[in-house]
Amino acid sequence: MTFELKMTEQQAIDGLRSTYGSEFTAADVKAFCAMNDIGYSTVTKKIQKYKVSKGKWNLEITQEKVDQIEN
């Protein structure tokens, strides 16, 4: 019997940041998921607010900051 590994949003962010820095791509996220035996969609849901474009995330920039800059 196998169990889905549970990972909090903070654990996903910390793991990705320590492995790839503050910017990473879908390929990086997929590799991170494989290393941690967790689903890609599970992780991408947790980091959704850091998505800057298709297949790219930046932990330093949130949509909130983008909106502030645009205003």
Side-chain angles (χ1 to χ4, degrees):
M1 184 181 258
T2 60
F3 294 96
E4 172 78 16
L5 178 66
K6 300 294 179 213
M7 183 178 285
T8 66
E9 180 180 329
Q10 195 57 53
Q11 287 171 319
I13 291 166
D14 291 346
L16 286 161
R17 179 178 276 134
S18 68
T19 308
Y20 302 108
S22 62
E23 292 184 64
F24 41 88
T25 64
D28 297 331
V29 175
K30 286 176 183 169
F32 175 78
C33 292
M35 288 185 287
N36 292 284
D37 193 29
I38 191 166
Y40 177 75
S41 63
T42 302
V43 173
T44 55
K45 282 180 198 157
K46 293 179 187 305
I47 61 172
Q48 181 64 40
K49 65 183 173 187
Y50 299 103
K51 190 168 190 168
V52 290
S53 66
K54 184 175 169 66
K56 291 183 192 273
W57 292 265
N58 186 324
L59 297 176
E60 304 302 317
I61 300 172
T62 61
Q63 188 58 48
E64 224 173 81
K65 285 187 181 175
V66 171
D67 291 343
Q68 286 174 349
I69 291 166
E70 287 175 350
N71 291 337

